Amino acid sequence: MGFLLFFQALFLFVLQILFSHQARAEDFISLSNATKNFSARKLAGKCNLSRGKWVYDASYPLYSPSSCPFIDAQFDCQKYGRPDNSYLKYRWQPFSCAIPRFNGLYFLEKWRGKKIMFVGDSLSLNQFQSLTCMIHASVPKSKTTFIRKDGLSSVTFDDYGVKILLFRTPYLVDLDNEKAGRVLKLDSIKNGNAWKGMNMLIFNTWHWWTHTGKTQPWDYMQEGNKWYKDMNRLIAFYKGLTTWSRWVNLNVDASKTKVFFLGISPTHYEGRDWNQPSKTCSGEKQPFFGLKYPAGTPLAWTVVNKVLSRTKKPVTFLDVTKLSQYRKDAHPSAYSGEHSGNDCSHWCLPGLPDTWNEVLYAELFS
């Protein structure tokens, strides 16, 4: 009964703050604390892969960037002149268990004849290329077919019939060109037809929800008959994710498809996040080694957790936010073949997304 009352109170509190455009950061912080307590109860007796530390491991990385044919120039930091390589040598070690060593051949055998799709923005591209490189390192002589099209890419390991796809869609919900301009439709997922028939789906979004000015790719938001020039971005994110959750509930057959959601990927443009205000990710060569990351938990993480808790179909949360916050050293920075300036939002390959896929591997096979 206590659990039910807690959940009802939390649910009413969410409705109160998330459907008000005047929602304040303080409200989300309170919600974050409540969600953490709820999550702690759920995790009792189970290994928490998100809590741990980075340890130096000379056996890393899991593959050589020069031997993987799938890495985009924007992530190939060694090729584009990064002088240090210590960032390649760190392994994530949870406090209460061990993550199994990734075995690409085992992965292929277990998922023989299956289709796996990443759905999301350029962080999904990061993770997609990481996974294909990790598998390729185990079967370097296996025949592969690599197809890249606008918005859709795929790598097929032909000898095993395993097809890994990437569907690029930064918001998950639809972004349409209409007479009025570019419209972000918070309650529409027509793109979802392309996601059906997969045996595994790994979703991700958030990176683009914060963009403003010239980098913002929409002119209006729409929900039903209501149009908005703008709104609180956490509110918009909540609405969009709720639409995604409805899509999962209506379209996923849990007996045929495993669904994952990748947690919020942090940026490292603001050194104050790790108590070094004059710095960015540029020139950083080591992870943050403190027990508690000074910037705290992103509010977007709280929104994701709330939506997942209300999704009726099973979705496994790949909670990589905290372990990624510690990796201020793992961004391309100036060593990118496509991004000019200082890229502190994407990740070098090999690098941090390999750990995201090790967490995925652990969830699949442990």
Side-chain angles (χ1 to χ4, degrees):
M1 181 63 70
F3 174 84
L4 180 61
L5 291 173
F6 167 81
F7 190 85
Q8 288 174 337
L10 183 60
F11 177 68
L12 291 172
F13 182 49
V14 171
L15 288 183
Q16 178 183 351
I17 66 172
L18 286 177
F19 290 100
S20 166
H21 284 208
Q22 304 302 315
R24 301 167 300 151
E26 291 87 343
D27 296 325
F28 283 100
I29 292 169
S30 298
L31 174 57
S32 176
N33 291 335
T35 306
K36 285 176 186 174
N37 292 335
F38 174 67
S39 298
R41 278 201 276 269
K42 287 206 304 178
L43 286 167
K46 179 185 176 184
C47 175
N48 186 348
L49 297 175
S50 68
R51 291 184 57 81
K53 62 182 179 179
W54 288 99
V55 297
Y56 188 88
D57 188 330
S59 70
Y60 275 60
L62 299 175
Y63 56 92
S64 166
S66 61
S67 66
C68 182
F70 314 125
I71 301 178
D72 272 5
Q74 62 180 311
F75 309 136
D76 199 343
C77 303
Q78 289 293 302
K79 180 178 179 179
Y80 289 94
R82 180 157 178 172
D84 62 306
N85 64 4
S86 59
Y87 71 96
L88 298 171
K89 300 292 184 181
Y90 287 100
R91 173 175 54 83
W92 180 248
Q93 176 59 62
F95 291 134
S96 54
C97 60
I99 294 180
R101 182 96 173 172
F102 186 90
N103 184 324
L105 180 59
Y106 184 77
F107 188 104
L108 289 171
E109 291 289 2
K110 287 293 185 180
W111 284 84
R112 183 182 285 271
K114 306 294 187 183
K115 292 182 179 180
I116 299 164
M117 179 179 275
F118 291 90
V119 183
D121 55 31
S122 52
L123 280 312
S124 288
L125 172 63
N126 238 174
Q127 190 181 10
F128 161 78
Q129 293 185 354
S130 164
L131 181 62
T132 54
C133 287
M134 291 166 75
I135 295 174
H136 181 266
S138 294
V139 289
K141 296 182 180 179
S142 178
K143 183 184 176 184
T144 59
T145 302
F146 184 20
I147 299 174
R148 189 196 304 262
K149 296 180 180 178
D150 291 339
L152 185 65
S153 301
S154 67
V155 174
T156 303
F157 291 87
D158 299 291
D159 297 336
Y160 302 88
V162 175
K163 190 171 188 176
I164 304 176
L165 304 99
L166 169 72
F167 188 99
R168 293 286 294 272
T169 174
Y171 298 100
L172 301 183
V173 293
D174 296 329
L175 180 61
D176 292 344
N177 287 313
E178 300 190 352
K179 289 183 178 179
R182 302 162 300 172
V183 183
L184 182 61
K185 304 206 167 185
L186 299 175
D187 56 358
S188 172
I189 299 187
K190 296 190 293 288
N191 284 331
N193 289 329
W195 313 340
K196 296 177 181 178
M198 298 295 142
N199 304 106
M200 188 194 307
L201 289 164
I202 305 107
F203 292 96
N204 153 70
T205 184
W206 173 241
H207 181 69
W208 279 90
W209 289 88
T210 60
H211 283 220
T212 59
K214 293 181 179 180
T215 63
Q216 176 183 298
W218 51 264
D219 302 303
Y220 299 96
M221 293 181 181
Q222 182 183 5
E223 184 183 29
N225 295 323
K226 294 182 179 179
W227 290 62
Y228 305 92
K229 190 64 180 175
D230 206 351
M231 71 169 69
N232 180 294
R233 298 305 176 86
L234 286 167
I235 301 292
F237 184 51
Y238 177 81
K239 289 176 180 289
L241 274 189
T242 300
T243 300
W244 165 83
S245 175
R246 273 199 303 272
W247 184 91
V248 170
N249 289 336
L250 291 171
N251 294 283
V252 169
D253 181 345
S255 68
K256 298 178 180 178
T257 306
K258 286 185 176 292
V259 181
F260 295 87
F261 196 97
L262 182 73
I264 302 301
S265 177
T267 64
H268 290 95
Y269 289 104
E270 303 287 343
R272 65 172 178 261
D273 288 349
W274 61 93
N275 287 339
Q276 292 184 301
S278 63
K279 291 192 173 184
T280 70
C281 73
S282 179
E284 291 295 302
K285 297 180 180 180
Q286 287 188 325
F288 174 83
F289 287 118
L291 290 177
K292 185 176 181 181
Y293 192 67
T297 303
L299 297 178
W301 182 95
T302 304
V303 174
V304 169
N305 270 266
K306 184 56 199 169
V307 172
L308 293 184
S309 74
R310 297 179 61 191
T311 305
K312 295 176 183 178
K313 294 292 177 68
V315 179
T316 301
F317 182 38
L318 301 177
D319 188 4
V320 301
T321 299
K322 183 175 291 185
L323 67 87
S324 302
Q325 283 181 318
Y326 294 169
R327 292 310 304 272
K328 58 186 173 64
D329 61 316
H331 295 283
S333 182
Y335 306 106
S336 169
E338 292 182 8
H339 285 268
S340 59
N342 188 29
D343 183 358
C344 295
S345 58
H346 300 100
W347 307 93
C348 295
L349 291 179
L352 177 69
D354 304 336
T355 300
W356 299 350
N357 286 318
E358 287 182 296
V359 172
L360 171 66
Y361 186 88
E363 293 287 0
L364 285 170
F365 302 124
S366 290

